[in-house]
Each structure stands twice: as structure tokens, then as C-alpha cells.
Amino acid sequence: MVKKSAKICCPLAACLALALAGCSKIVAPVEADGLGLPKVELRLTSEDYGTLNSNVYARLPVPAELQLEGRRWKIKVRYSGQTSINNTKKSVTLEFPEERRFRGHRYYVLSAQSGDPTGFNPIIGFHAFAQAGLQTPEVQPVTFYVNGEYWGLYFLIEPIDEDFFARRGQRLGTLYEATRANALLSFANGYDVRMGFENKGEREDYFGDLEKTIRVLDESQPQELPARLAPLVDAENWLRYLAVSVLLHNFDGYINNYRLHKSRPEDPFRILPWDVDHLLEMHPTRSSIFGEPKFSERLLRAPEYRRRYRAILLELMDETLRVEHLDAVLDETAAQIAQALAHDRFLGGDAHANAARRKESLRQWYAKIRADLVLLE
């Protein structure tokens, strides 16, 4: 159903013909059902529904029946999210039986993406990161119904967990989640990595490899940094993550919402993007060609990295993520989600008008980045 490689090579026309599937890791609908999108239907008894809503912050799972893609499951469901759990429109995590997994996963996220009023961000965001060569989760827009009531436009987003890596022929290995908007890459002011990173890998209480990486970033002189960092970090991958985040204003993805992974202890860390609901929003300190200083400042002090980063920005703007390419993705997405978004009582809105505004914002921002390339020389 879906290509598993993050290396994207198909042309745009073929990509869009597959409903944005192969190129961007977006799963094409098997059949349109609810408001032009696949339909996710959840049914709970009144008692279980009450238990679910009485234990929101405890994230207590309750039994439910799920219908999706013409199949039925008996599952468990719970609310999920960090700050978004406070919103009226909440995300949920679906827990499938071991013997009847969904797309190879025991757990799957049904995300409200409540930080995004347009309904575009998870599609355009993960698509852009995949086009730039990063490993990304699969994402699929759907309509979500609970006991027959329409809850709105949601997104089935593949979780980054042991099953994610197993499906791609990799080990879970070491996996750190950048969280709580406090994932810093410096020990300045006595910073403790446990304040901003959670270890979800095979050695849950071990942070030594992450701490070693941060010490090298802290202590290395700019000219020596590439050589010292090479065994620890896939610098090309990190710079590409930074470049896409800058081009899309992914301001919430520098000190939050990314994953650091390596299959084996001797491998370098690679970054995977996560939760891209805040895109194309201006931020007073993070919306610049340099991104967030707490994430990128030490990397970009090295002349070698700065030159490579500049080249990546040009490559993405001129080729891989040129505005005409993103226009087509936005138009295709608008056509997919228009009905579901218009009927979403929490979001509402005109998907095609949103797409037009996104196009204009991207052109203005790309022009600003091009003008600021001189700062990287």
C-alpha cells in the first residue's frame, strides 16, 4: 500500500495521481466514504464513554468497537496529546489487539491537529520532510465519528515507535523524544537532558550518548566540530531537518516535537519530524534563516556546516520544494479535505481559500530566505 523508503524519487504528477501517497508517505484512501474521506467510526457504551471523559488527564483506556477500511475491531481507546489534551477537540490513541494489528502497529494515533485551523499542516509538513530525504510517519486525513456524531477532520498518523522501525527493517535501538518544549542541545545554566527528552528506546534510563553529543556541541571549536561530531550525528540529516523547518516555519519543531534515533550504539543520531501542526506561523525568535538558536547555533558556527546548509536551502527552494510543487500539493489536499473541513464545527473554513493564503505566505517567505542567504556566507 505504501512505500517504506524515506528516499523520494517519483515525479510530482505520479505522486499526486496516487493521492500524495508514495512521495510524501501519505496513505491514499482505499475508498472515499465520509465527506469525501475515509471514515473512522468508534462506538462505545454509555458507561465506557463516561469513563473515558471522566479520566481525560489520566489517559485511561476503555473498550470500544472500531470500523475502518471495511473492517471491524474490538479495541481500546484513550485520549492523548500534551497541551492539546486541554482542547475540546482532542486526539486519541487506538490500541489494537496483538493478533489484529493495524498497518503493522499495535497503537495508532488519531490526531485532531488542533494547532492547525487549515487542515494542511500534517500533509504538507510530512510531505516536505520526506521530499528532503528524512524518514517520516505515514499520514492520512479521515473523518471521525463517535457513536454516530461527527467529531471532525482528523488525521491517522503513524506513531514513531518500535513497530515503526520494525516495518522499515530497523531496530528500535536508541530513541529520544524531544518534548515539553524544553529539548535543548546545550548544558548551559546547568541543563539536565531529562527536562526535555524522554528515552523511549531499548535502554530507558540511559542518556549517556545524548549527553556526549551535547558536550561535543558545547565544547568544540567551530573548525573542529565536524570531525568531532561525525561519529555522533548524521549532520546532513540534521541540516536538512533544519532547512525544511526554516522553510515551513516549523517553529515548534526545534525544542519540541522531533525524535532522535539510531538502530545501533555505534550509529550516528538521525532526526525524525513529529507533530507538525504549527507551520507557517511567525515566531519572534524562531522564524529566521537560522531557525532556533538553541537548536542550530552551534551547528552553524562551523563554516563547513554553514556552507552545506546554504546549499541545501537553495536545492530545496529551486528543486525539491519549489513553490510550484508545493502549490500542487496544497491544491490536491484542499480538494481532499474541503467537505470535511467545512463541516468541522471546531475548525470550519474554506480549504481552497486556505490554500491560496498558504501559497502567498510561502512565496513571501521564500523571498525573505533568499535575501538572507548572504548571512550564511
Side-chain angles (χ1 to χ4, degrees):
M1 178 184 295
V2 179
K3 297 181 181 180
K4 297 183 180 179
S5 171
K7 298 295 184 182
I8 311 301
C9 60
C10 55
L12 177 61
C15 175
L16 296 178
L18 292 173
L20 306 178
C23 285
S24 59
K25 308 295 285 183
I26 299 167
V27 181
V30 175
E31 59 181 8
D33 190 6
L35 299 173
L37 290 173
K39 195 174 184 180
V40 179
E41 297 181 84
L42 200 65
R43 293 202 173 272
L44 303 91
T45 66
S46 57
E47 181 179 354
D48 288 331
Y49 196 28
T51 301
L52 178 71
N53 288 313
S54 299
N55 294 271
V56 173
Y57 297 101
R59 297 172 172 81
L60 183 70
V62 301
E65 291 187 359
L66 174 71
Q67 183 169 340
L68 172 61
E69 295 182 348
R71 302 168 64 191
R72 293 181 181 273
W73 283 269
K74 290 188 179 297
I75 66 164
K76 291 185 178 180
V77 61
R78 60 178 172 83
Y79 287 122
S80 58
Q82 295 182 41
T83 58
S84 64
I85 203 167
N86 297 307
N87 298 328
T88 306
K89 185 181 180 183
K90 303 183 191 304
S91 300
V92 299
T93 294
L94 310 174
E95 180 182 344
F96 292 85
E98 173 66 39
E99 67 279 6
R100 291 194 69 208
R101 293 173 171 235
F102 178 64
R103 298 176 184 168
H105 283 269
R106 279 291 314 279
Y107 300 90
Y108 226 88
V109 179
L110 188 57
S111 178
Q113 290 290 290
S114 53
D116 171 26
T118 72
F120 287 118
N121 290 354
I123 304 294
I124 197 77
F126 287 128
H127 174 83
F129 279 113
Q131 288 287 291
L134 278 80
Q135 209 168 34
T136 60
E138 298 169 352
V139 56
Q140 178 181 25
V142 296
T143 50
F144 183 38
Y145 294 78
V146 179
N147 289 345
E149 179 186 9
Y150 179 49
W151 274 30
L153 172 65
Y154 272 70
F155 295 86
L156 279 168
I157 300 180
E158 181 185 22
I160 299 177
D161 56 13
E162 185 172 10
D163 293 330
F164 176 94
F165 296 108
R167 292 185 67 208
R168 292 157 174 82
Q170 302 171 34
R171 279 178 44 192
L172 173 63
T174 299
L175 178 65
Y176 292 109
E177 295 185 1
T179 186
R180 293 184 288 275
N182 199 36
L184 310 184
L185 295 174
S186 173
F187 289 126
N189 302 314
Y191 177 71
D192 185 331
V193 294
R194 292 160 184 81
M195 295 171 61
F197 292 91
E198 294 181 6
N199 190 332
K200 297 300 181 70
E202 296 171 1
R203 303 171 66 186
E204 290 185 11
D205 297 324
Y206 179 71
F207 287 81
D209 47 6
L210 176 58
E211 292 172 335
K212 180 178 180 180
T213 300
I214 294 174
R215 280 197 300 272
V216 169
L217 286 166
D218 271 343
E219 298 168 3
S220 300
Q221 295 300 313
Q223 296 288 352
E224 66 179 1
L225 180 62
R228 294 191 65 191
L229 201 59
L232 306 174
V233 163
D234 183 336
E236 178 73 10
N237 164 263
W238 283 44
L239 292 172
R240 286 182 171 274
Y241 176 85
L242 173 62
V244 176
S245 293
V246 162
L247 291 176
L248 294 187
H249 280 308
N250 181 33
F251 79 83
D252 200 31
Y254 298 118
I255 54 177
N256 199 33
N257 290 333
Y258 64 82
R259 306 292 186 255
L260 293 176
H261 175 253
K262 56 180 177 177
S263 290
R264 303 172 301 170
E266 63 270 25
D267 291 341
F269 279 119
R270 295 174 61 86
I271 293 184
L272 290 81
W274 179 251
D275 197 1
V276 290
D277 59 336
H278 289 286
L279 298 181
L280 295 172
E281 300 175 23
M282 290 299 295
H283 189 278
T285 62
R286 302 174 200 164
S287 293
S288 82
I289 196 170
F290 298 105
E292 163 62 56
K294 294 173 183 176
F295 177 84
S296 59
E297 183 178 31
R298 284 167 175 77
L299 277 177
L300 296 183
R301 282 179 182 171
E304 177 182 327
Y305 288 160
R306 200 160 54 247
R307 287 192 297 270
R308 182 58 191 149
Y309 174 56
R310 185 182 187 278
I312 291 171
L313 285 171
L314 282 169
E315 171 208 318
L316 295 179
M317 289 190 291
D318 292 343
E319 301 173 25
T320 316
L321 297 180
R322 65 191 184 278
V323 289
E324 294 82 6
H325 172 90
L326 296 179
D327 286 351
V329 177
L330 288 165
D331 287 339
E332 180 75 15
T333 304
Q336 279 190 299
I337 70 171
Q339 293 184 66
L341 181 68
H343 288 82
D344 189 316
R345 67 181 186 272
F346 301 104
L347 298 179
D350 184 329
H352 296 286
N354 289 341
R357 286 190 288 270
R358 279 285 195 255
K359 292 176 187 179
E360 182 60 27
S361 295
L362 281 166
R363 279 164 171 75
Q364 292 178 3
W365 184 244
Y366 271 34
K368 176 68 164 60
I369 295 300
R370 288 185 188 279
D372 287 346
L373 287 171
V374 66
L375 301 175
L376 295 172
E377 294 177 351

